[in-house]
Amino acid sequence: KQEVTQIPAALSVPEGENLVLNCSFTDSAIYNLQWFRQDPGKGLTSLLLIQSSQREQTSGRLNASLDKSSGRSTLYIAASQPGDSATYLCAGQETSGSRLTFGEGTQLTVNP
Amino acid sequence: NAGVMQNPRHLVRRRGQEARLRCSPMKGHSHVYWYRQLPEEGLKFMVYLQKENIIDESGMPKERFSAEFPKEGPSILRIQQVVRGDSAAYFCASSVRFNTGELFFGEGSRLTVL
């Protein structure tokens, strides 16, 4: 059974800092990996999708990478802003299954 | 192109009543997934459906919960005889294709059971 761990559970940084969020999977057989953002009381916004043949994706100040051999993914946020404050979730889609398995999330606070 | 639409956004039910949550996937998407987020917990998979078919319901509680995705109309998640423990946010997601496509989520339906 796939389990996803996100570290740290919470992070508070000053504005402008670069930061890294970590995600690890017990089963490294990940087909697709997605990073999401969730604001309080809201739904999930897809940030980046790393498909099976890819190792990383970039969008603006965000960069996500996936190392299948170790079952780890990182989300890098450059020059953080207060508007980046949210919970960040990673989720893996299994090779043989249909579901996304989610981590518990990292709650990020960027202080002005 | 509208996103995934869920309604109602908020639903209050008394114990023993029925709750029906609806999800309209993005245009052109034929795969629907339901997830549940209990207070202070992560998202847990419930069920995966295609039009008129349940593909994977391994995350659904064995009793009181059912889901459908008819040929016409939205997907419905139905909870019979609700209990307080059913209070949660229920999210629907859709994708174009199984296992190759990005999932897009709705804003969720927040069920409160009194």
Side-chain angles (χ1 to χ4, degrees), chain A residues 31 46 51 95 97 99-100, chain B residues 35 48 58 98-100 102 110:
Chain A
Y31 194 81
S46 179
Q51 294 185 312
T95 303
R99 70 189 69 183
L100 273 177
Chain B
Y35 286 80
Y48 161 45
S58 57
F98 158 68
N99 243 4
T100 59
E102 187 173 1
R110 282 156 180 82

Side-chain angles (χ1 to χ4, degrees), chain B residues 52-105:
Chain B
E52 301 183 279
N53 285 304
I54 297 174
I55 307 302
D56 180 358
E57 58 181 348
S58 57
M60 287 278 272
K62 299 300 182 187
E63 299 178 344
R64 304 188 296 107
F65 285 72
S66 63
E68 63 176 5
F69 189 16
K71 186 176 181 181
E72 301 291 337
S75 176
I76 307 286
L77 180 66
R78 181 185 180 200
I79 311 172
Q80 295 177 290
Q81 299 176 334
V82 297
V83 300
R84 288 208 175 119
D86 297 332
S87 295
Y90 292 83
F91 291 96
C92 170
S94 72
S95 73
V96 173
R97 293 175 61 190
F98 158 68
N99 243 4
T100 59
E102 187 173 1
L103 265 67
F104 294 89
F105 279 77

Side-chain angles (χ1 to χ4, degrees), chain A residues 17-88:
Chain A
E17 194 162 295
N18 301 326
L19 55 101
V20 174
L21 308 181
N22 298 289
C23 175
S24 62
F25 301 82
T26 53
D27 183 350
S28 59
I30 296 297
Y31 194 81
N32 285 350
L33 182 135
Q34 260 182 281
W35 280 91
F36 294 89
R37 167 186 174 140
Q38 185 176 27
D39 292 281
K42 301 290 187 180
L44 279 69
T45 300
S46 179
L47 297 173
L48 292 164
L49 167 69
I50 304 177
Q51 294 185 312
S52 58
S53 59
Q54 300 170 331
R55 291 189 177 180
E56 68 175 320
Q57 281 289 324
T58 298
S59 176
R61 294 182 293 107
L62 306 179
N63 174 274
S65 64
L66 173 61
D67 181 350
K68 288 191 175 183
S69 62
S70 64
R72 296 178 185 274
S73 177
T74 60
L75 177 67
Y76 176 81
I77 302 177
S80 58
Q81 303 171 358
D84 296 330
S85 298
T87 296
Y88 290 80

